[in-house]
Amino acid sequence: QSVLTQSPSGSGAPGQRVTISCTGSSSNIGAGSDVHWYQQLPGKAPKVLIFGNNNRPSGVPDRFSGSKSGTSASLAITGLQAEDEADYYCQSYDSSLSGWVFGGGTKLTVL
Amino acid sequence: EFQLLESGGDLVQPGGSLRLSCAASGFTFSGFAMSWVRQAPGKGPEWVSALSGLGDGSYYADSVKGRFTISRDNSKNTLHLQMNSLRAEDTATYFCAKMNGHPLSSYYMDAWGKGTTVTVSS
């Protein structure tokens, strides 16, 4: 059971907007720890999509955006494309565990 | 461009030991904390251990505390993970990752290697 909770799956048609949620607790997201999002394509290492709640590394399209409120965070993808089909993971720091934690992941399917 | 290359993964019996290495290039290695993150087949990533840039601060997940030791050689731009008393549940692909951010509560992994596979089985 992951410390950060994500829906196991999500889907959307090309061009649509989808959101992926990540729910934590008062010892991680609710304590003010930043939330980061990763995309993992099959057989590849995770790649950071969003860092510091809502910042995109250079090279990541502005179709990807992040937000955080209370003990939860969300990743939004607009103008969904076939190449966005992947696993998405949130990550934060947990002060009770004194370590970094990942969500269980959301498998996004582009219909 | 950051490059991280892991090595050392193998098939090992329960109770055995293994040492993983990660060769880094493309950035000032000693200036950044580094982590090991593992991913069991079909599962999400699990952070395992982290080490500060100068090697003076180490952190471990409860699942590996007392069995794994992280270390680094800044003169050789190399990160290591010594794994002892291995268990079947340690079976995973182990990734080396460069950490970025400040303070600890803001750290994220901004570069990853391709991973090395550890299988613990008799």
Side-chain angles (χ1 to χ4, degrees):
Chain A
Q1 188 123 1
S2 302
V3 173
L4 304 178
T5 301
Q6 297 180 240
S7 296
S9 62
S11 63
Q16 281 191 332
R17 178 182 188 270
V18 297
T19 60
I20 296 172
S21 64
C22 174
T23 302
S25 68
S26 58
S27 63
N28 41 68
I29 300 174
S33 295
D34 284 347
V35 178
H36 321 287
W37 291 91
Y38 301 84
Q39 178 191 62
Q40 187 174 32
L41 298 171
K44 301 291 189 182
K47 164 194 157 186
V48 62
L49 271 185
I50 297 289
F51 67 93
N53 305 315
N54 54 14
N55 300 287
R56 281 176 289 106
S58 60
V60 173
D62 58 7
R63 302 186 295 105
F64 295 90
S65 63
S67 64
K68 172 188 158 183
S69 178
T71 58
S72 296
S74 292
L75 172 71
I77 311 172
T78 58
L80 199 61
Q81 299 181 3
E83 67 210 48
D84 299 333
E85 188 161 289
D87 294 323
Y88 292 85
Y89 298 95
C90 58
Q91 175 250 309
S92 189
Y93 176 80
D94 192 287
S95 56
S96 293
L97 297 174
S98 297
W100 293 269
V101 291
F102 286 87
T106 297
K107 184 175 187 63
L108 179 65
T109 300
V110 180
L111 302 170
Chain B
E1 182 186 350
F2 310 142
Q3 288 202 351
L4 300 168
L5 183 63
E6 304 91 340
S7 61
D10 205 347
L11 169 64
V12 61
Q13 292 190 338
S17 298
L18 210 54
R19 189 190 197 212
L20 305 184
S21 297
C22 170
S25 62
F27 62 100
T28 304
F29 185 66
S30 61
F32 293 92
M34 298 291 294
S35 264
W36 287 98
V37 178
R38 68 186 180 185
Q39 188 168 27
K43 303 292 186 183
E46 177 192 13
W47 170 76
V48 171
S49 181
L51 185 61
S52 63
L54 297 181
D56 53 352
S58 59
Y59 309 86
Y60 296 92
D62 287 344
S63 58
V64 306
K65 203 170 292 183
R67 300 187 299 124
F68 290 11
T69 303
I70 192 171
S71 63
R72 63 192 297 160
D73 184 340
N74 286 345
S75 69
K76 297 181 179 177
N77 289 356
T78 305
L79 179 73
H80 301 287
L81 185 69
Q82 177 66 42
M83 303 187 296
N84 298 332
S85 302
L86 282 162
R87 307 166 180 166
E89 53 264 36
D90 295 318
T91 294
T93 296
Y94 284 72
F95 296 98
C96 163
K98 171 182 171 289
M99 301 186 83
N100 205 344
H102 182 80
L104 285 180
S105 60
S106 297
Y107 272 25
Y108 65 102
M109 291 81 176
D110 68 349
W112 298 63
K114 294 185 189 303
T116 187
T117 301
V118 173
T119 303
V120 184
S121 174
S122 54

